Every structure is written in C-alpha cells, then in structure tokens.
Amino acid sequence: MACLLEAPLRISVLSEVTATSRHYVDRLFDPDPQKVLQGVIDMKNAVIGNNKQKANLIVLGAVPRLLYLLQQGSSSSELRAECAVVLGSLAMGTENNIKSLVDCHIIPALLQGLLCPDLIFIEACLRCLRTVFISPVTPVQLLYTDPTVIPHLMSLLSRSQRTQEYITQIFSHCCKTPEHQTVLFNHGAIQNIAPLLISPSYKVRMQALKCFSVLAYENTQVSMTLVNVLVDEELLSQVFVRMMQRDQPIDMQLTAAKCLTYMCRAGAIMTDDSCIVLKTLPCLVRMCSKERLLEERVEGAETLAYLMEPDVELQRIASVTDHLVAMLADYFKYPSSVSAITDIKRLDHDLKHAHELRQAAFKLYASLGSNDEDIRKKITETENMMDRIVSGLSESSVKVRLAAVRCLHSLSRSVQQLRTSFHDHAVWKPLMKLLQNAPDEVLVMASSTLCNLLLEFSPSKEPILESGVIELLCSLTQSDSPALRVNGIWALMNMAFQADQKVKGEIVRALGTEQLFRLLSDPDSNVLMKTLGLLRNLLSTRPHIDQVMSSHGKQIMQAVTLILEGEHSIEVKEQTLCILANIADGNTAKELIMTNDDILQKIKYYMAHSNVKLQLAATFCISNLIWNEEDGEANAMTGSQERQDKLRELGFVDILHKLTQASDPNLCDRAKTAMQQYLA
C-alpha cells in the first residue's frame, strides 16, 4: 500500500508548488496597480535563489505579462523597475530560462526601456541586459540589430557608476568579431571608456579593462589608437603597467597583461619594449605558478604563449624566467591526491577542468620551443615530457589533442629531437592513429608534423613508410582545405627525396597522374610549389628520370609548358625550370626537350630574363643538354654533338657567351662551365 500512496503524494506536492506559483502570476493581472506592484515585489522575493520557482513562473507565462507591464507608459516608474529586477532574477537561473526570456523578445523591450529618463529604471534594465548577454546561449548579434543602440549606450556611460559597470560588461561580452570591434570603435568606445580606468569603483575599472582587452585583440587599428591615448595625462600603456603590479587583484593584473599582449601582437608596442620584457612577460609567468587558481594558470599560460609566439628573444627570456619550463610540468599533476584544496566545490570544478591545464601547458611549450634548439632540449628533458605528449595525442578532448600535436610539431623542427626523443618514443605511431580520424584543425597540425618526421635524416621515415602512409597522404591531397592539400603533397615530396625507385613508383601509382596534374594547376600557390617539389624529387637520378618520363613524359612536358607560360611567381617558374634541368639530365628523357622547339624557345627566353634565379635555372638546363659524358659510349658522344649543333643554330652559344660576362658570379660560372662543354 505504501508504494501506491507515493505517486499521489508527489503529484499533490507538485500541484501545490504550481498553485503557489499560479497565485503569483494571477496577481500580475489585478486591476489595482498597487496590488500589482506588491505582487511583483512578492514574486521578486520568492524567486531569489529558487530555480524551481523561476522555472514554474516562466512556464506559467509570467514573462510576457512582466514585459507588458514594463513597457506600459501607464505603469509607475517603481513598477517598471521592479519588473526589470524580477526579469533579471529569472535570467539568473538556468540556460533554458535565458532561452525562454530571449524567445519572449526581452532584449528589444529592455533596450527600449533605456530611452526612459528614470535612472533607477535604466539601471534595472541594464542589469537585466547584462545578465542575459553574459549567457553563452544569447545571440550577441541582438545588440547590433538596431544601429541606434550602441551610440545610446555610449551616452548612458556618464549617468552613474552602475551604468558604467553594466554597459562595459555588456560590450566586453558582445564584442566577438572584427565587425563588432569596428562598430564599437567607430562609436567612440576608446574615448568613452578610457576615463573609466581611473574610476573610484573597482568593478568599473575592471570591466573597462576587460573591454579594452576584447577591443584590442588582433586589431591593429584599435591597438595603434590605444598607444596614444592619455588618461589623466598618463599614457594608457602606463596605466596598464600600474594595473599589473603585484599589489593589484590577480584578475586585474592578468587582464592588463592581456591588453598589452594584444597591443604588442598587433604591432603597436615593440617586443623589446620594457613594458613587455620587464612587466608583461614576468606578470604572465607569475600567473603560471601553482599558487594561482586553475583558470588563472590556464589564462596566464595561453596569453604568454600568444605573446611570444613570433619572437625568439621573448621565448629565450621566458624560458629562463622563474623556472617556467619546470613550472609547467606541474600542470600535468593537478589536482593531485595530496592537493591542498579543502573546498570540495573547488576540487570538483578543478577535476572537471584539469584538461584545460594540460591544453595550456602544451600550447605554451609549443610557443617556447618553436625556434630555439636549447629550449627544445630543455622541454624534452623535462620529466616524462614525451610520454605526456604521446598521452595527449589520444585524449578525449579535441582541444588537448590539438595542443599536444602543436607541441609535437614545434619540437619536430629539431633535427636532434627527430633523431633522439621522437625515435625513442615512437611518436609516429600515435600520430598516424590521430591522422586516421580527426577534425580538420587537428589533421592540419598532425600532417604538418608528419612532414617533418618524413625528412630524410629522421629515423621515423622508414617505419612510417612501411605503415602504408602513402594512401593516406594521397587522400589528403584531394581535401577541400588548401592547408591539408599542401601538407599531403609536402609529405609525399619529403618521402620522394632520395627514395628508391620502388617508393617513387608507389607514390606515382597511389597519387595517379590525373591527380598529380590537377595539383599542378591548383589555385593555391603553396600547393603548386610543393607539387613541383615532388615532381623534382621523383625526377632525380638518371634511371628514375628516364623511367618516369618514358611513361608520363608527354603530360609532364605539357604541364611544364603551361606553367612557364602562365602568370606565376618567380619561385614557381624557377622550380619548373629546375624540373626541366632534371629532365635534361636523363639519358633518353632529354630528347623530350630537344624535340620540343617551344620548350627550347622558353629556356632561351628565361636565359635572358631580368631575374638572375631564372637565368641560372635556365642555364642549368642547357648545361645538362650539352653535357657529353653519357656512359662514355661513342653513340652518346654523337648524340651530344648533335644536341650541341642544334643549340648553336638556335643561338644558345651566343647567349652563353654573353652570360660569361654576367655580374652575378654564380651565373657567370655556370655559363663558363657550359661553354667549356663546347670546347671539350
């Protein structure tokens, strides 16, 4: 019997809760305005900290009625302000609450409310807007739909400290794209927000600072303007430096460091400026220490990685600041079983977010080791570092996998590491596994790393070749992503370098001539350059040259002609002429050039070109064509004599003679060497 009673009991409790909630909603429809006001105030007290009550009221239709009362001109200022407060409280519930409020068009109603002269009502509307906009489920574009909204918000900044705090917080959360930055910049965000950095209110100073960090991020126009801004006769950069002092709250130090970092990366502050080297960098290193909270360590490491990414000198300074390389090793041990965290909620939070620490550490290691050999060595010698990277490659979080492979890519630029750590830990295995099934951004970084592992001096090259990688790389060359096409063809190019005929044959078979020639007309110049590099590597050593040209000579000569005739860069044409020079070095392949007058005329044209690189490459072609040491046989000598005679008739000897007087020493030597063949 007890089991039978349980269900009705639950229903009666639920109906009681709903009935109570219904009573609050019903009071909003009372004809007496005073009773309506009291009903809204009672509702406000009932929903504070009570998510179930908030959800019930939303389901029972309280939101449309509150918005109606808020927008009615006949409602008293007090009633309108209380409605905004209740709506703000409902917004502090779950994400579903926010979605319901947005679906009821709360944002346009609150923005309209800002036109009212009553400051208390304006502040209540702004507080509610702030709560709605800081939720990740709110479309930030709603702030920019009406072009009059941003200038009106700028004009409200001077009304009170509360309007300053809420508006700057709304701006910093709704500035997500370069277009948003431009809108805010064009409506005077910098001039209006800069004075708030010296506000007596910490909250206002903090929100203004956050605003500048999102405005300056990857924005040269904003950053260049910020450099010249004065706040109370002090340069803005110096205000940021003061905010980074150790006696300031951590959130302020970190955000000020981000502002200066973004200004530096945008080119507004030099990397060797004292405010970067002596203030920003040390501040960010401090944020990485184990005394800091998890989110501070993550943000500190990621900002520091971004600051020094392009600058080797900053990387060197950071690597010897406060034992940073060793300090980052702690990111992988957190939170440990002997953690000093006594707050259970904090421990639970940190366990859920520990992967963010690993991601940040990998990013910072990648940035630190991107140029300097000694730093890379220091990183790989840090306890269990290579094992940690290998583990990172198979983590469930895509972001951690991406950061781990980025770190691996950074270290793979080192010849020494490729020969030692990479080989000892067989990192190619998890890397190959990662390439089988990963999002494009991970694939780009993983395939880029694989290119380095396939360099000729890398011990990993052989086992990778044996693992059947060629098919995988050929499939990458068919990707819609130019970066993946480049990496696929680049890896094949490295693989073909000084390879035996078997490997070269496998590459040509797997790629297919159709795809090879499609890549030779790829719109992306990087893809074209790497494809030419692959072709050049396939056409090296005479037997290989003759074999490839005997089966694909016609198409290759066609592609070469098209490139030399087309609108291509000097680098592309130089690489193409080098391929011709390789063909000219073949025993039988060179006849494909000698019997093609169009190609010979093109070589002649490039020998007289204004660019020395092209002249050198074209002269190299002729040098190989007239070379007379082919197996030392009499018929070969006859062949070389016939070629020399034909080239003399076409005027090549005259051009070579002129080039022996060239001002470029390399070109001059190359021409003299070729001329000696005629005299031999």
Side-chain angles (χ1 to χ4, degrees):
M1 290 298 288
C3 292
L4 292 172
L5 285 170
E6 211 173 331
L9 187 67
R10 221 181 278 144
I11 289 167
S12 66
V13 170
L14 184 64
S15 59
E16 196 179 305
V17 171
T18 312
T20 314
S21 305
R22 167 66 65 194
H23 170 65
Y24 286 119
V25 177
D26 289 344
R27 289 171 71 190
L28 300 180
F29 292 88
D30 197 289
D32 182 348
Q34 206 51 42
K35 286 183 179 174
V36 173
L37 174 62
Q38 193 54 52
V40 173
I41 291 168
D42 290 347
M43 187 185 280
K44 174 181 74 175
N45 295 331
V47 296
I48 291 170
N50 188 335
N51 277 351
K52 188 181 277 186
Q53 185 71 279
K54 289 174 186 179
N56 283 337
L57 290 170
I58 289 170
V59 169
L60 293 168
V63 176
R65 183 61 183 170
L66 287 166
L67 285 171
Y68 172 79
L69 295 170
L70 180 136
Q71 292 175 93
Q72 279 299 97
S74 56
S75 297
S76 67
S77 293
E78 191 182 357
L79 174 59
R80 294 171 81 185
E82 290 293 352
C83 285
V85 171
V86 174
L87 288 164
S89 191
L90 294 177
M92 284 180 179
T94 64
E95 287 187 352
N96 282 335
N97 291 10
I98 297 272
K99 283 177 186 168
S100 303
L101 292 170
V102 172
D103 290 343
C104 289
H105 308 291
I106 187 174
I107 291 172
L110 291 169
L111 290 172
Q112 190 64 30
L114 298 179
L115 298 171
C116 171
D118 183 77
L119 181 59
I120 292 170
F121 178 53
I122 287 172
E123 288 176 351
C125 287
L126 283 171
R127 191 184 306 115
C128 185
L129 278 167
R130 181 270 312 266
T131 306
V132 171
F133 273 122
I134 62 175
S135 167
V137 299
T138 306
V140 296
Q141 201 51 41
L142 292 171
L143 186 69
Y144 303 93
T145 313
D146 179 346
T148 63
V149 168
I150 301 295
H152 184 61
L153 287 170
M154 292 291 177
S155 71
L156 292 175
L157 278 170
S158 57
R159 293 292 300 271
S160 72
Q161 281 186 7
R162 286 201 180 102
T163 64
Q164 289 167 356
E165 180 194 337
Y166 303 146
I167 291 169
T168 46
Q169 197 170 0
I170 290 167
F171 285 162
S172 61
H173 276 276
C174 294
C175 185
K176 303 285 187 193
T177 68
E179 291 72 31
H180 296 161
Q181 289 173 325
T182 302
V183 170
L184 293 170
F185 177 81
N186 289 343
H187 284 105
I190 292 176
Q191 304 88 296
N192 285 298
I193 298 170
L196 307 185
L197 290 169
I198 53 170
S199 163
S201 159
Y202 172 73
K203 285 181 177 177
V204 172
R205 291 199 305 278
M206 200 55 235
Q207 293 307 332
L209 191 57
K210 284 183 176 172
C211 238
F212 280 128
S213 78
V214 294
L215 282 169
Y217 181 65
E218 291 190 346
N219 193 309
T220 304
Q221 184 187 31
V222 170
S223 296
M224 289 296 191
T225 306
L226 289 178
V227 163
N228 299 312
V229 169
L230 289 171
V231 181
D232 201 21
E233 296 184 10
E234 186 179 23
L235 277 172
L236 193 62
S237 56
Q238 287 310 305
V239 176
F240 292 153
V241 166
R242 272 197 295 104
M243 288 175 152
M244 286 191 297
Q245 286 171 358
R246 289 169 187 259
D247 59 350
Q248 296 297 333
I250 294 298
D251 198 19
M252 181 168 275
Q253 289 184 47
L254 191 45
T255 313
K258 283 167 81 170
C259 289
L260 287 163
T261 293
Y262 300 156
M263 287 164 72
C264 178
R265 282 299 305 267
I269 301 175
M270 300 302 287
T271 53
D272 59 358
D273 191 298
S274 62
C275 76
I276 298 296
V277 178
L278 302 178
K279 302 292 180 181
T280 311
L281 187 144
C283 172
L284 290 169
V285 172
R286 281 203 306 276
M287 296 302 142
C288 299
S289 78
K290 60 169 91 174
E291 282 72 47
R292 302 269 55 86
L293 293 175
L294 178 140
E295 47 271 40
E296 292 161 0
R297 294 171 79 185
V298 168
E299 217 171 322
E302 293 194 339
T303 308
L304 180 55
Y306 182 67
L307 171 66
M308 64 187 180
E309 195 175 24
D311 192 90
V312 65
E313 204 42 53
L314 286 180
Q315 290 157 15
R316 285 180 184 138
I317 294 166
S319 72
V320 294
T321 303
D322 290 353
H323 308 288
L324 178 65
V325 174
M327 196 195 294
L328 284 177
D330 289 331
Y331 277 46
F332 298 95
K333 307 171 191 168
Y334 182 87
S336 65
S337 53
V338 291
S339 178
I341 303 172
T342 49
D343 179 347
I344 296 299
K345 268 190 178 176
R346 166 50 69 176
L347 185 60
D348 183 53
H349 168 274
D350 284 5
L351 283 166
K352 284 176 185 162
H353 294 269
H355 68 277
E356 291 175 22
L357 272 178
R358 295 193 292 278
Q359 178 195 336
F362 283 138
K363 275 187 186 175
L364 187 43
Y365 276 138
S367 190
L368 273 168
S370 56
N371 291 291
D372 189 281
E373 193 60 48
D374 291 337
I375 300 174
R376 290 186 193 124
K377 189 169 183 289
K378 207 186 228 183
I379 292 169
T380 52
E381 286 172 357
T382 303
E383 52 178 318
N384 307 326
M385 192 58 212
M386 294 307 291
D387 292 332
R388 282 177 180 143
I389 295 174
V390 168
S391 301
L393 294 176
S394 56
E395 278 213 30
S396 56
S397 160
V398 174
K399 287 182 175 179
V400 176
R401 291 206 301 275
L402 178 60
V405 78
R406 188 175 281 164
C407 182
L408 196 64
H409 177 252
S410 180
L411 298 173
S412 74
R413 292 183 179 136
S414 158
V415 176
Q416 187 190 1
Q417 297 312 323
L418 284 174
R419 285 179 169 159
T420 53
S421 310
F422 277 58
H423 184 54
D424 298 343
H425 292 83
V427 294
W428 65 271
K429 288 181 182 175
L431 192 65
M432 288 292 291
K433 195 176 172 188
L434 193 62
L435 281 160
Q436 306 299 327
N437 180 27
D440 270 11
E441 55 182 347
V442 176
L443 268 182
V444 168
M445 202 49 70
S447 54
S448 202
T449 309
L450 192 67
C451 288
N452 291 345
L453 265 67
L454 285 166
L455 288 164
E456 129 259 3
F457 47 74
S458 164
S460 306
K461 183 174 182 175
E462 281 308 311
I464 293 172
L465 271 172
E466 288 160 17
S467 73
V469 74
I470 294 176
E471 295 286 344
L472 173 74
L473 296 174
C474 290
S475 69
L476 289 183
T477 70
Q478 295 175 13
S479 167
D480 290 336
S481 155
L484 283 177
R485 291 202 302 280
V486 167
N487 288 349
I489 204 75
W490 195 340
L492 289 169
M493 181 188 89
N494 286 352
M495 195 181 283
F497 182 73
Q498 294 184 351
D500 57 35
Q501 187 55 37
K502 180 174 169 284
V503 172
K504 288 182 180 179
E506 277 179 41
I507 292 171
V508 174
R509 261 194 311 281
L511 191 59
T513 47
E514 205 176 302
Q515 176 62 4
L516 180 63
F517 296 114
R518 195 179 293 129
L519 292 165
L520 284 170
S521 55
D522 197 284
D524 188 287
S525 62
N526 289 326
V527 174
L528 176 56
M529 274 298 280
K530 294 297 173 243
T531 310
L532 290 168
L534 169 63
L535 201 49
R536 192 173 167 183
N537 285 350
L538 291 171
L539 294 165
S540 62
T541 76
R542 283 180 190 149
H544 296 178
I545 294 166
D546 291 333
Q547 195 170 339
V548 173
M549 292 307 288
S550 66
S551 50
H552 307 293
K554 192 181 169 190
Q555 297 108 307
I556 289 173
M557 294 305 285
Q558 211 174 344
V560 163
T561 306
L562 284 171
I563 292 169
L564 291 177
E565 283 176 354
E567 292 291 317
H568 292 289
S569 66
I570 297 292
E571 289 73 24
V572 166
K573 294 202 171 180
E574 181 193 12
Q575 188 80 296
T576 309
L577 287 166
C578 288
I579 288 169
L580 270 182
N582 282 15
I583 295 168
D585 195 38
N587 287 331
T588 55
K590 54 169 50 96
E591 286 309 312
L592 287 162
I593 299 176
M594 289 307 302
T595 54
N596 188 328
D597 286 353
D598 185 24
I599 283 284
L600 286 170
Q601 288 302 326
K602 284 182 170 51
I603 295 171
K604 192 174 171 184
Y605 166 76
Y606 285 109
M607 283 175 78
H609 199 275
S610 57
N611 186 283
V612 174
K613 285 182 177 179
L614 297 182
Q615 285 182 290
L616 260 170
T619 307
F620 198 27
C621 290
I622 294 303
S623 189
N624 281 351
L625 286 173
I626 59 180
W627 201 257
N628 60 17
E629 288 177 17
E630 301 164 11
D631 304 333
E633 295 173 12
N635 63 343
M637 293 292 286
T638 311
S640 110
Q641 191 58 54
E642 283 172 7
R643 289 195 303 278
Q644 288 183 10
D645 291 345
K646 180 173 180 178
L647 293 170
R648 189 191 299 275
E649 281 169 33
L650 290 171
F652 279 94
V653 176
D654 295 338
I655 297 173
L656 282 173
H657 191 68
K658 275 184 197 164
L659 292 179
T660 58
Q661 309 299 314
S663 57
D664 183 85
N666 292 331
L667 182 56
C668 177
D669 289 350
R670 173 61 57 198
K672 282 177 182 172
T673 306
M675 283 298 288
Q676 281 164 10
Q677 289 302 306
Y678 272 100
L679 303 171

